Amino acid sequence: MVSGKLVFIDIDGTLADEHHRVPESAQAACRQAQRNGHKLFICTGRSLPKIERSILDLGFDGVVSCAGAQANVGDKILFEHLVPAEAIDAAMAYFRKHHIETYQWQGADGMYISEGYLRHLQNGHTAWGSDEFAKYWHMIDDVEIPEGSTLGQVLKTSKGSYFTGPDPDVTFEDVRRDMSPWFELVHGSYDKISPNNGELLINGVDKGSAVRDVAAALGYGIADTIAIGDSDNDTAMLKAAGTSVAMGNATHGIERFCDIVTTDIHDDGLANAFATLGLV
């Protein structure tokens, strides 16, 4: 086994704040932890093209993206899982049936979005409407589908996400139940926008499976892994890692099952966690 710890860090609400800024204290802590012999992986629900260059340039040892469906070390892909065609087609039919108009599919080559999601971007609710990401946005309606094929057979993506309008005819629990033959549903990062939002993950593939698979590939025992997160979509990795840390700004009650609760992201949360864990 290798020495040092293998640390998995969520981005939104953990590494970066709501303005997509990484606190100076977090940047310094990450650099010092690496100098001390520890390896740091981003572990995010975002696809790789949806991660700001300013974050990637901080110099992490690897990236787990699409909520655990893909892992990269430099230009090397450790693994990549794709959503089955029938699962995409089932979700699209469900969206139509329940008038869910804002959704996207994410993968290594970009984000495929609905007209509703485009309006969300155009309304300025997200930093991902910037020029940095423009080439990675693809309209689902513009995807060419050969005769005899379906959208699911054409798209090569690793996760989906959605949010409903203010008065949906289905709850989050309804969607989780109805989509369970094809997906595991976890709360997404749109709580301030919609009462019903979620991430559609490939059954059996999540941030927890990624922690186990990356650790095995790099020669780490699970006892030497650490996961740090702030919300429900981090639950799988927090439960899989040898040591789990909830941010002080954690949501969905994840702090109840974590080993450590650090301070808020705006109060040097990541840096304080690293100090508590002896990484710096």
Side-chain angles (χ1 to χ4, degrees):
M1 291 293 177
V2 295
S3 60
K5 299 293 184 180
L6 179 60
V7 187
F8 295 87
I9 308 166
D10 173 55
I11 294 180
D12 298 297
T14 302
L15 177 69
D17 65 17
E18 65 272 22
H19 303 294
H20 300 249
R21 292 192 294 256
V22 180
E24 287 291 337
S25 62
Q27 296 184 42
C30 287
R31 289 191 294 268
Q32 186 58 54
Q34 288 175 307
R35 287 194 291 268
N36 290 348
H38 308 292
K39 289 194 179 296
L40 309 184
F41 269 65
I42 290 171
C43 194
T44 179
R46 303 192 209 174
S47 58
L48 196 56
K50 208 175 181 182
I51 302 174
E52 293 94 336
R53 176 49 55 186
S54 60
I55 290 178
L56 294 174
D57 285 347
L58 294 177
F60 290 91
D61 296 287
V63 178
V64 172
S65 58
C66 289
Q70 182 172 335
N72 293 65
V73 176
D75 294 330
K76 178 183 178 182
I77 298 177
L78 292 183
F79 55 80
E80 181 183 22
H81 303 281
L82 298 176
V83 179
E86 61 271 20
I88 293 176
D89 293 332
M92 293 294 290
Y94 191 84
F95 292 157
R96 288 191 295 270
K97 178 180 178 181
H98 294 286
H99 310 290
I100 297 173
E101 299 180 349
T102 309
Y103 53 85
Q104 65 173 314
W105 298 99
Q106 296 185 52
D109 60 347
M111 294 75 71
Y112 293 85
I113 63 174
S114 66
E115 287 284 349
Y117 201 93
L118 177 62
R119 290 193 295 272
H120 169 65
L121 292 176
Q122 292 173 333
N123 287 336
H125 295 307
T126 171
W128 296 310
S130 67
D131 292 342
E132 179 181 359
F133 302 101
K135 65 181 179 181
Y136 296 117
W137 296 112
H138 311 290
M139 295 301 301
I140 289 175
D141 289 346
D142 293 340
V143 175
E144 293 188 12
I145 304 175
E147 185 175 353
S149 297
T150 67
L151 178 69
Q153 292 169 331
V154 174
L155 293 188
K156 303 300 180 186
T157 62
S158 293
K159 62 164 278 192
S161 61
Y162 76 93
F163 62 87
T164 69
D167 189 24
D169 69 344
V170 286
T171 66
F172 172 84
E173 294 300 333
D174 291 334
V175 182
R176 177 151 62 183
R177 180 197 64 231
D178 297 342
M179 288 285 96
S180 62
W182 303 279
F183 296 99
E184 173 68 24
L185 190 70
V186 299
H187 288 282
S189 56
Y190 301 106
D191 285 349
K192 295 181 179 179
I193 299 173
S194 168
N196 180 353
N197 70 91
E199 296 187 1
L200 299 165
L201 311 183
I202 301 168
N203 276 334
V205 176
D206 54 33
K207 288 186 177 184
S209 65
V211 167
R212 293 187 290 271
D213 291 347
V214 170
L218 299 185
Y220 286 83
I222 285 296
D224 290 321
T225 62
I226 297 168
I228 308 175
D230 73 300
S231 65
D232 184 41
N233 56 16
D234 299 314
T235 294
M237 78 168 183
L238 292 166
K239 290 186 173 181
T243 302
S244 56
V245 181
M247 296 294 289
N249 48 281
T251 61
H252 304 119
I254 65 168
E255 69 278 0
R256 292 195 296 267
F257 59 77
C258 286
D259 299 307
I260 297 169
V261 179
T262 186
T263 52
D264 189 282
I265 187 171
H266 296 294
D267 187 22
D268 301 324
L270 192 70
N272 288 333
F274 276 31
T276 299
L277 294 163
L279 301 177
V280 296

